[in-house]
Amino acid sequence: MSKADLNNYIGGEWTCSGTQGYCDVENPSTGQAVARVPLSSPEEAEQAVAAAKAAFPEWSATPVSRRCDFLFKLTDLLRGKAEELARLISEENGKSLPDSRAEVKRALENAEVACGMPLHQQGDKLINGAAGIDGEVLRLPVGVFGMIAPFNFPLMVPFWFFPYALATGNTYVIKPSEQAPCSMQRVAEMIEECGFPPGVFNLVHGDRVAAERLLEHRDVQGISFVGTSRVCRTVAVRSAETNKRCQALGSAKNHLVVMPDAKIDPVIRNMISSCYGCAGQRCMASSAIICVGDEVCQTVTDAFLKASRGVRVASPLDPEVASESMLMGPVISAKAKRFILDMIQVGVDEGATLALDGRGLEVEGCQGGHFIGPTVFTDVKPGMKIHQTEIFGPVVVILKVATLDEAIQVINDHQYGNGASIYTQNGHYAREFKLRTRVGMVGVNVGIPAPVASLPFGGMKDSIFADVKAQGKAVVQFFTEPKVITERYWPED
Ligand code: NAD
């Protein structure tokens, strides 16, 4: 992408913003600007909400099958432009091309699931709930919904929500991450090409200023937020103040438990991809390994360190590495890199052993890039900050416990509960783990237990501030009002 100024898409028009200035969108591999994103004002966020509100009556009255026709067109376009979108994501976010392609695929799958809305939006009917009285539940669209997106899955995360919102008859305003806004701008262009009526889908670029206006706006009926738990808390409080529906998905520290009977070779390959994919910046990335027993701890530590040293770190758009499956790119920004380096120093200061040090890594031809190599701490104890904090980079901590019960306790005591996995061939261990861990998404011999698009996505504890999770059938509840009708008819005289 050439260094272009991005625009807002409001009421079917591309509007030139920049009233509050612009900020550069960097390619994190080089540190160079690839675009400028406008920092929209609260008034521009209001214009988007007004456009969405004006579009709601007609869109909500459009038959559901007709609404889905537009989404079918969008899935066709996404399929045709998948490679272009993947490259945009790799450029703005720094993840490898295979990771970006997987992101586009999961976005597409969500749009496909939303195309099934004529089935998902069906209500219920109870005949003779009382004598001669029937009860009926209608699933009706609600109004204008908003979404505030994170940088780490700049394209896929919005698809957890907006296709479902549109298919159920609501209208939408999205504010992409200011750090990685280019791929969603491209999606907005595709939405225009599909012929969605003006105002049904609106895009407002910017930072927290525009986001906060969406949060406090009385005409926004609900907010889907994905980002850090610190901001989730604010989003939840501010949504409650204006009586909005709110789903806020937050930070994580995902654990991988290795039992003594685990199949070590595939487990190590699986852990490497879970810990270092997207440079550790997936909300489902694992960053804490718990080994159960001395022997397995020694074996896993040695093998994991060896495999970590073999991870290739490079710019994802370097043609030489484009098809490499286990490639690690940079972290998103200089600020993120500084935080991760600080956390590595914290680990050293609090007495963990820095068994592999990714600091000081240089990638040839990418001097301005924000690279950190795979970093591993051993001798880590649960109370340490490097275990308590979401570091969101390629930094892995290894802990040792004596029993599965202890491993489950470590996970359950942690503030975050997004995902966790167990490696074992033993059905009893797996069953205990599935039932007793306080996390929202569990893997058994699967290092990234991210559910497919038709199943709910979301964690527990401080990883989520919501009752309704993302994607699939679950999110249909968020976007519809279950209006209940109680009716009777007396016989004719
Ligand atoms: P972030 O919280 O810094 O920003 C997310 C969005 O919130 C951005 O669009 C930003 O402009 C906006 N924002 C920032 N401050 C705000 C405020 N005070 N009010 C309203 N909006 C505000 O998060 P990030 O760094 O972009 O994303 C990484 C985080 O997202 C990690 O913690 C990661 O675990 C989390 N995440 C969670 C999931 C999940 O499913 N739980 C999925 C993806 C990412």
Side-chain angles (χ1 to χ4, degrees), residues 147-153 156-157 160 175-179 206-212 215 225-232 234-235 238 248-253 281-284 332 390 392 416 418 441 457-459 463-464 470:
M147 202 263 136
I148 303 167
F151 79 82
N152 68 328
F153 282 95
M156 180 195 75
V157 162
W160 285 351
K175 192 209 77 69
S177 165
E178 64 274 36
Q179 296 190 89
D207 56 13
R208 60 182 287 180
V209 172
E212 281 173 342
L215 281 182
F225 171 87
V226 180
T228 49
S229 291
R230 182 183 58 80
V231 182
C232 281
T234 308
V235 168
R238 300 194 71 176
L249 282 68
S251 306
K253 189 85 174 182
Q281 298 170 115
R282 292 186 186 120
C283 65
M284 290 300 281
I332 186 70
E390 180 188 54
F392 225 49
Y416 299 127
N418 216 34
M441 294 169 281
F457 191 114
S463 289
I464 194 164

Side-chain angles (χ1 to χ4, degrees), residues 318-382:
D318 176 346
E320 272 193 30
V321 297
S323 54
E324 183 111 5
S325 63
M326 193 44 243
L327 176 93
M328 198 171 81
V331 297
I332 186 70
S333 64
K335 185 175 169 211
K337 180 173 174 177
R338 266 196 311 278
F339 173 73
I340 296 163
L341 295 180
D342 287 350
M343 285 308 299
I344 296 174
Q345 191 54 48
V346 166
V348 171
D349 295 344
E350 60 189 349
T353 304
L354 185 54
L356 182 62
D357 187 355
R359 296 177 292 185
L361 176 98
E362 294 283 338
V363 173
E364 213 185 305
C366 293
Q367 274 63 29
H370 314 303
F371 291 91
I372 302 177
T375 299
V376 182
F377 280 103
T378 56
D379 303 313
V380 176
K381 302 280 175 276

Side-chain angles (χ1 to χ4, degrees), residues 1 4-8 15 17 22 25 35-38 181-182 185 205:
M1 184 176 209
D5 288 349
L6 303 183
N7 286 318
N8 292 336
T15 65
S17 172
Y22 286 85
V25 181
R36 289 198 320 160
V37 61
C182 302
Q185 162 121 353
H205 288 294

Side-chain angles (χ1 to χ4, degrees), residues 267-479:
V267 164
I268 297 296
R269 282 199 297 278
N270 200 254
M271 292 200 301
I272 290 287
S273 136
S274 174
C275 295
Y276 301 125
C278 304
Q281 298 170 115
R282 292 186 186 120
C283 65
M284 290 300 281
S286 295
S287 51
I289 296 172
I290 309 181
C291 302
V292 180
D294 291 334
E295 202 177 322
V296 81
C297 188
Q298 195 58 55
T299 313
V300 165
T301 302
D302 292 347
F304 187 76
L305 281 169
K306 184 166 174 231
S308 298
R309 287 190 192 98
V311 170
R312 180 109 189 242
V313 184
S315 160
L317 293 174
D318 176 346
E320 272 193 30
V321 297
S323 54
E324 183 111 5
S325 63
M326 193 44 243
L327 176 93
M328 198 171 81
V331 297
I332 186 70
S333 64
K335 185 175 169 211
K337 180 173 174 177
R338 266 196 311 278
F339 173 73
I340 296 163
L341 295 180
D342 287 350
M343 285 308 299
I344 296 174
Q345 191 54 48
V346 166
V348 171
D349 295 344
E350 60 189 349
T353 304
L354 185 54
L356 182 62
D357 187 355
R359 296 177 292 185
L361 176 98
E362 294 283 338
V363 173
E364 213 185 305
C366 293
Q367 274 63 29
H370 314 303
F371 291 91
I372 302 177
T375 299
V376 182
F377 280 103
T378 56
D379 303 313
V380 176
K381 302 280 175 276
M384 289 181 172
K385 283 199 184 120
I386 50 169
H387 176 243
Q388 292 304 319
T389 310
E390 180 188 54
I391 298 176
F392 225 49
V395 180
V396 181
V397 301
I398 301 184
L399 300 91
K400 184 173 72 176
V401 297
T403 62
L404 176 59
D405 283 350
E406 263 185 71
I408 293 174
Q409 194 64 49
V410 170
I411 293 169
N412 289 352
D413 287 346
H414 203 281
Q415 62 177 323
Y416 299 127
N418 216 34
S421 296
I422 186 168
Y423 293 109
T424 184
Q425 299 292 105
N426 178 308
H428 172 71
Y429 293 154
R431 186 169 187 276
E432 288 292 295
F433 192 80
K434 283 192 285 187
L435 297 181
R436 288 171 47 203
T437 42
R438 292 198 62 224
V439 301
M441 294 169 281
V442 171
V444 179
N445 298 316
V446 172
I448 311 165
V452 294
S454 53
L455 302 177
F457 191 114
M460 289 174 70
K461 297 187 277 182
D462 277 359
S463 289
I464 194 164
F465 292 68
D467 305 312
V468 179
K469 295 184 175 182
Q471 71 175 32
K473 253 169 68 179
V475 84
V476 175
Q477 293 170 35
F478 186 72
F479 291 119

